[in-house]
Amino acid sequence: MEKSLKIGGGGGMEGLIELVNRLQDAFAALGQSCLLELPQIAVVGGQSAGKSSVLENCVSRDFLPRGSGIVTRRPLVLQLVTAKTEYAEFLHCKGRKFTDFDEVRQEIEAETDRVTGLNKGISSIPINLRVYSPHVLSLTLVDLPGITKVPVGDQPPDIEQQIRDMIMQFISRENCLILAVTPANTDLANSDALKLAKEVDPQGLRTIGVITKLDLMDEGTDATEILENKLLPLRRGYIGVVNRSQKDIDGKKDIKAAMLAERKFFLSHPAYRHMADRMGTPYLQKVLNQQLTNHIRDTLPAFRSKLQSQLLSIEHEVEAYKNFKPEDPTRKTKALLQMVQQFSVDFEKRIEGSGDQVDTLELSGGAKINRIFHERFPFELVKMEFNEKELRREISYAIKNIHGIRTGLFTPDMAFEAIVKKQIVKLKGPCLKSVDLVMQELINTVKKCTKKLATYPRLCEETERIVAGHIRDREEKTKEQVLLLIDIQVSYINTNHEDFIGFANAQQRSSQVNKSAVGNQVIRKGWLTINNIGIMKGGSKEYWFVLTAESLSWYKDDEEKEKKYMLPLDNLKVRDVEKSFMSSKHIFALFNTEQRNVYKDYRFLELSCDAQEEMDSWKASLLRAGVYPDKSSTENDENSQADNFSMDPQLERQVETIRNLVDSYMSIINKCIRDLIPKTVMHLMINNVKEFINAELLAHLYSSEDQNTLMEESAEQAQRRDEGLRLYQALKEALAIIGDISTSTVSIPAPPPVDDSWLQQSRSFLQILPHVHITWINGRGICIKKGACNLFSAFENTI
């Protein structure tokens, strides 16, 4: 039994049906993108079964198109709402009220033709019509195209399958009741509506039978057995109705008069008078309302779960504005403040790093800038510094030019200073390049952070323009400061620096590069492929490499249990290797400067990576371990004279001395520059940009554009936002109402299963008698083949 409900002053279940109607509108407005199955009643039947008349009788108005062939070519979602006044509304004609139901018919025809054309084609896009009337009970009915067998006109040859697929799309849903309409003057066993219903609802939990055209049956016959649920029984039973004839329709017979005639028919018919109170359109309306109400209540748990799931999905989409009411005049201001704040937080997280929402697909802005500071920038410095042959030639020229016509006995200080200053000036290129790389990474980070502002194209564009402009402005100031740092180093060569070796030590020092006393610490680990091992010796293979300050070792796997080889780093250098045409890997090679084999009988050890970034990173790590790039020049200078390189022993000693002095002083400068440039860039660019975004961006946005212009959305975006907000609020309201109702009601159990065992017997009988032909007349079988009479008599007794 159902308890009486009062929710917000209205009837509980009636309120829920109205809520379902509102949700139906919301989903239709979103183009059916929300796949939430709403409780409704789908009307199914063959062509000319009387579906349209049943619907019109429920509304008490003529409003559906009429004609021969297929008339209903799009699903019509008909929402009936009990109201004091009578009018109709279409979802696609918002705000327009139809009081003339002839205009409703014309609008249905026009809207059908707009989508399907004039060639009798069909479409699954529904037409949503809501009818308010004091003569209806709250219902949601879906009128579907009639089942047809033969294409007519310009219809496609597979029209039957198209209609079947469309019908199945609706009635397959668990939340859909099936109103199976069958005319009484046809064979019930061949009812297409019942066959389709049986496919999707074999237990009969959702199917309600409607028998039309009872007044057109042959004289002396009736449908009593069907209506009493004895022939082809359904759990929810059958209801008989009498519609207007085509003559009545053509004669504009009033529906109210037709319903009085229907009532008179059941009361006066000898076969139906005992069940007259359970027949007719008013009773059908009442049953449908009750069945839909009970069905909604029975499906409340699953329905609530789907609503909650949909709400969570929508909540994520409307996260930025879910707390704003669409009509709030300050909504744009709040949205602007929230967007700028979110942009600032996202930018800082990408630069500083964050434990939440970590990007696992690529390096974020801060990680890339860190790599520029500590891998790319040092590597660029070393690439520039070590051009040994060119450096020695410059030292030789400097010494000779300072001595001039005289032969010098001592190594000139001026040659050292001239060479050092020239080497320091060369540092400007790598330093400026590092600033460019950081600037580009900051701009890329800004672009990624503004993706969340895409809702407001103008705001997104202005934010990018303002922040990128500020970054470029800071780039200029940073470059000025970087150049100033280099110029400061050039302005005074401090030969009293505590780390400078001085002339006495320079004359005795070996030309080899001393490694810093870092011990045998681990610098890097990772996978690399040894690329140049021949197939006969095992072929190229991937190993786990461990680089320390003294050696490069590789293992079978990253557990480091089985060591394959350990290569000392003494006298090693790195050389680039061109990629082969067939390979996509990036290759570099290690070789010994004393022409010794590096690995077994190989002069070169070629190592390959999958990405350029990975290769650059390994080179930078080798650089930290003292393994420098090979910069020996193989080019012949045609303009060089032979005597340029024919130095006397004294000049050679002087060149070597200055070379060691330059090497010592430049290591001091490099150490200083490696430390100062990242600090300068961090202070003048990165920290400044963060402060600008936090403190000044909002003011710049207000001064650049009018607030309304900034927060303009495209019509499509605004519509999607408004619909999202409406749907979000509707879902929240629905969950609240469902929560109240579900705690105040007692579910009414479904009707018990009906006994259809005789159907199984009849099927078995037909299978074992393929030579027997049975004709059905008024629900009774008559055998027309000789020799089967005794068997058929037994079969007839089971009916």
Side-chain angles (χ1 to χ4, degrees):
M1 295 294 293
E2 180 185 349
K3 295 180 182 178
S4 60
L5 300 171
K6 293 292 182 182
I7 297 178
M13 278 305 157
E14 292 295 323
L16 185 56
I17 291 177
E18 291 176 12
L19 174 70
V20 170
N21 289 343
R22 292 202 301 273
L23 285 173
Q24 184 78 47
D25 286 350
F27 294 152
L30 291 175
Q32 298 292 342
S33 60
C34 301
L35 301 177
L36 190 62
E37 298 172 0
L38 298 172
Q40 56 193 9
I41 301 173
V43 185
V44 183
Q47 284 189 25
S48 303
K51 300 193 311 312
S52 298
S53 295
V54 170
L55 291 175
E56 287 184 335
N57 286 353
C58 288
V59 179
S60 299
R61 286 285 187 175
D62 289 321
F63 67 97
L64 291 174
R66 298 276 184 172
S68 59
I70 180 170
V71 177
T72 304
R73 295 186 284 131
R74 285 177 60 183
L76 176 68
V77 179
L78 177 61
Q79 299 169 353
L80 305 182
V81 181
T82 306
K84 293 182 179 179
T85 58
E86 187 177 49
Y87 63 93
E89 288 181 342
F90 285 95
L91 186 62
H92 63 271
C93 298
K94 291 182 179 179
R96 182 182 175 189
K97 294 184 178 180
F98 292 80
T99 54
D100 185 345
F101 281 81
D102 286 336
E103 293 183 6
V104 173
R105 179 190 300 110
Q106 294 167 10
E107 183 60 33
I108 292 174
E109 292 174 344
E111 181 64 13
T112 300
D113 292 341
R114 186 182 66 81
V115 173
T116 62
L118 302 174
N119 62 350
K120 297 293 184 181
I122 66 169
S123 170
S124 60
I125 301 174
I127 299 173
N128 286 66
L129 172 63
R130 179 173 291 177
V131 176
Y132 297 84
S133 173
H135 310 298
V136 301
L137 293 177
S138 294
L139 282 176
T140 301
L141 301 165
V142 182
D143 185 22
L144 296 169
I147 303 165
T148 186
K149 301 290 185 183
V150 181
V152 297
D154 296 329
Q155 288 178 351
D158 63 338
I159 187 70
E160 179 185 1
Q161 188 61 41
Q162 286 187 29
I163 293 175
R164 176 186 170 85
D165 293 343
M166 184 193 302
I167 293 172
M168 296 296 281
Q169 178 183 339
F170 281 86
I171 67 175
S172 297
R173 301 171 185 169
E174 288 299 318
N175 279 2
C176 180
L177 291 176
I178 305 167
L179 194 65
V181 180
T182 305
N185 57 354
T186 60
D187 188 354
L188 189 66
N190 293 327
S191 169
D192 292 319
L194 290 175
K195 285 180 181 177
L196 289 177
K198 192 71 174 176
E199 286 185 33
V200 297
D201 182 32
Q203 302 300 318
L205 291 171
R206 300 187 284 120
T207 306
I208 304 169
V210 175
I211 304 300
T212 61
K213 303 187 179 181
L214 291 169
D215 55 332
L216 300 182
M217 296 184 70
D218 293 339
E219 191 173 348
T221 62
D222 59 66
T224 305
E225 288 186 334
I226 300 173
L227 297 175
E228 290 180 347
N229 211 22
K230 296 178 179 178
L231 182 68
L232 287 178
L234 296 174
R235 293 180 76 162
R236 296 183 184 268
Y238 293 87
I239 298 171
V241 296
V242 175
N243 300 324
R244 293 174 299 168
S245 66
Q246 189 61 45
K247 181 180 178 182
D248 294 336
I249 295 170
D250 294 340
K252 303 292 183 180
K253 184 176 181 179
D254 184 67
I255 289 183
K256 292 180 180 179
M259 292 178 71
L260 289 174
E262 177 190 52
R263 177 69 175 162
K264 182 179 179 182
F265 171 82
F266 285 114
L267 288 172
S268 60
H269 198 289
Y272 306 134
R273 64 178 60 160
H274 67 285
M275 62 178 86
D277 290 339
R278 291 181 285 112
M279 297 290 124
T281 301
Y283 180 76
L284 174 63
Q285 276 186 287
K286 182 180 177 181
V287 167
L288 292 182
N289 177 268
Q290 180 186 7
Q291 297 282 16
L292 181 59
T293 297
N294 292 342
H295 185 61
I296 293 174
R297 179 174 46 217
D298 293 341
T299 57
L300 273 178
F303 188 51
R304 184 198 295 109
S305 176
K306 289 183 179 181
L307 281 173
Q308 187 65 54
S309 174
Q310 191 70 37
L311 180 66
L312 290 175
S313 174
I314 293 295
E315 189 170 26
H316 178 71
E317 293 177 17
V318 301
E319 184 71 31
Y321 43 79
K322 69 179 181 181
N323 296 322
F324 305 153
K325 295 181 180 179
E327 66 278 4
D328 185 358
T330 63
R331 181 175 57 81
K332 288 189 175 182
T333 302
K334 292 177 181 176
L336 176 59
L337 292 172
Q338 189 178 52
M339 290 289 183
V340 173
Q341 184 181 15
Q342 185 64 48
F343 172 76
S344 175
V345 170
D346 289 347
F347 183 82
E348 185 154 357
K349 282 184 178 180
R350 283 186 172 271
I351 296 298
E352 296 294 338
S354 169
D356 60 332
Q357 298 179 355
V358 176
D359 191 342
T360 58
L361 300 178
E362 63 176 357
L363 290 180
S364 62
K368 287 185 177 180
I369 291 173
N370 181 43
R371 194 176 64 187
I372 292 170
F373 284 160
H374 302 297
E375 292 184 6
R376 186 73 181 270
F377 176 52
F379 189 63
E380 291 292 331
L381 288 178
V382 173
K383 280 200 304 184
M384 176 278 305
E385 178 188 356
F386 284 87
N387 193 334
E388 192 69 31
K389 186 175 180 181
E390 183 65 28
L391 180 59
R392 288 180 178 276
R393 183 188 291 120
E394 290 179 3
I395 294 172
S396 172
Y397 285 149
I399 293 173
K400 289 180 180 180
N401 289 332
I402 288 172
H403 288 314
I405 198 170
R406 297 179 299 278
T407 301
L409 298 177
F410 303 101
T411 304
D413 290 359
M414 292 176 62
F416 163 71
E417 285 206 15
I419 295 299
V420 164
K421 287 181 178 179
K422 187 173 183 179
Q423 292 298 312
I424 294 175
V425 170
K426 286 182 179 179
L427 296 176
K428 290 183 178 180
C431 292
L432 294 178
K433 185 175 182 180
S434 70
V435 176
D436 287 335
L437 291 173
V438 172
M439 183 270 296
Q440 190 58 52
E441 194 52 49
L442 285 175
I443 290 178
N444 289 341
T445 302
V446 168
K447 288 181 178 178
K448 288 181 179 178
C449 293
T450 53
K451 286 182 179 178
K452 290 188 178 180
L453 309 182
T455 307
Y456 306 99
R458 189 61 185 158
L459 174 64
C460 180
E461 181 183 332
E462 276 299 294
T463 302
E464 276 191 28
R465 183 187 66 80
I466 291 170
V467 179
H470 183 76
I471 290 173
R472 290 190 174 92
D473 180 58
R474 298 311 301 174
E475 176 204 5
E476 291 181 11
K477 289 181 170 57
T478 306
K479 284 183 175 179
E480 289 175 6
Q481 185 64 29
V482 166
L483 293 175
L484 179 61
L485 288 175
I486 303 297
D487 290 340
I488 289 171
Q489 296 291 348
V490 172
S491 66
Y492 180 65
I493 306 301
N494 182 18
T495 53
N496 286 326
H497 195 283
E498 59 185 5
D499 293 333
F500 187 57
I501 62 173
F503 271 78
N505 293 328
Q507 292 171 350
Q508 300 172 2
R509 185 182 179 190
S510 169
S511 61
Q512 292 183 351
V513 179
N514 290 336
K515 296 177 184 175
S516 58
V518 293
N520 196 28
Q521 67 177 14
V522 175
I523 295 175
R524 185 185 178 92
K525 294 183 179 183
W527 293 98
L528 284 172
T529 301
I530 300 180
N531 204 59
N532 61 324
I533 300 179
I535 296 177
M536 299 299 294
K537 296 183 180 181
S540 300
K541 193 173 181 182
E542 194 173 34
Y543 293 100
W544 179 257
F545 279 74
V546 177
L547 174 65
T548 68
E550 296 181 356
S551 64
L552 179 66
S553 306
W554 55 93
Y555 299 80
K556 181 180 179 181
D557 53 42
D558 55 3
E559 294 182 1
E560 300 180 17
K561 292 181 179 179
E562 185 179 341
K563 182 183 285 188
K564 292 295 184 180
Y565 198 79
M566 185 178 76
L567 176 64
L569 300 183
D570 295 331
N571 302 315
L572 288 186
K573 283 199 172 185
V574 178
R575 176 179 292 169
D576 288 334
V577 178
E578 289 187 6
K579 289 195 301 183
S580 64
F581 178 72
M582 298 298 292
S583 174
S584 61
K585 287 184 174 291
H586 299 267
I587 308 170
F588 63 94
L590 298 176
F591 69 97
N592 193 298
T593 56
E594 297 182 352
Q595 304 300 316
R596 295 176 184 171
N597 290 343
V598 177
Y599 170 59
K600 295 184 178 179
D601 56 347
Y602 292 98
R603 283 292 180 92
F604 292 88
L605 179 65
E606 290 188 4
L607 303 173
S608 62
C609 311
D610 291 328
Q612 178 69 41
E613 293 179 357
E614 189 181 358
M615 186 175 78
D616 290 343
S617 185
W618 269 104
K619 285 182 179 179
S621 299
L622 287 165
L623 178 62
R624 287 179 58 199
V627 180
Y628 295 99
D630 175 37
K631 285 295 179 182
S632 59
S633 176
T634 58
E635 298 178 0
N636 294 321
D637 189 352
E638 295 179 358
N639 297 324
S640 298
Q641 300 296 324
D643 62 345
N644 285 348
F645 303 99
S646 60
M647 293 185 279
D648 58 66
Q650 182 180 348
L651 182 58
E652 286 187 20
R653 286 195 298 273
Q654 291 176 346
V655 168
E656 186 66 24
T657 298
I658 290 181
R659 172 69 185 86
N660 290 335
L661 288 171
V662 170
D663 187 36
S664 174
Y665 196 81
M666 287 305 297
S667 68
I668 296 170
I669 297 297
N670 278 336
K671 188 181 294 185
C672 180
I673 291 297
R674 286 187 193 182
D675 183 56
L676 280 177
I677 295 302
K679 290 178 178 178
T680 303
V681 173
M682 194 72 195
H683 175 67
L684 293 178
M685 283 190 71
I686 299 172
N687 287 344
N688 185 278
V689 170
K690 286 194 299 182
E691 290 173 7
F692 173 80
I693 292 173
N694 281 326
E696 300 180 43
L697 174 59
L698 190 60
H700 279 75
L701 284 169
Y702 271 117
S703 62
S704 67
E705 290 278 0
D706 176 69
Q707 176 189 333
N708 290 327
T709 306
L710 275 177
M711 302 307 289
E712 274 183 3
E713 301 168 287
S714 64
E716 179 184 347
Q717 177 62 36
Q719 182 182 2
R720 184 162 57 247
R721 173 182 53 76
D722 290 341
E723 287 171 352
L725 280 173
R726 284 198 300 270
L727 181 59
Y728 178 75
Q729 296 298 333
L731 287 168
K732 287 179 67 176
E733 181 186 355
L735 283 168
I737 292 179
I738 289 175
D740 290 341
I741 291 175
S742 62
T743 57
S744 311
T745 59
V746 177
S747 179
I748 297 176
V754 293
D755 181 17
D756 59 353
S757 57
W758 64 272
L759 284 173
Q760 302 297 330
Q761 294 177 19
S762 66
R763 291 191 188 100
S764 301
F765 175 78
L766 292 176
Q767 288 172 358
I768 63 172
L769 287 178
H771 61 285
V772 175
H773 179 72
I774 299 173
T775 301
W776 294 88
I777 298 178
N778 296 333
R780 302 187 67 82
I782 299 176
C783 177
I784 60 172
K785 279 240 180 170
K786 186 177 179 182
C789 293
N790 294 334
L791 286 172
F792 185 77
S793 298
F795 170 59
E796 187 178 19
N797 290 334
T798 65
I799 299 177

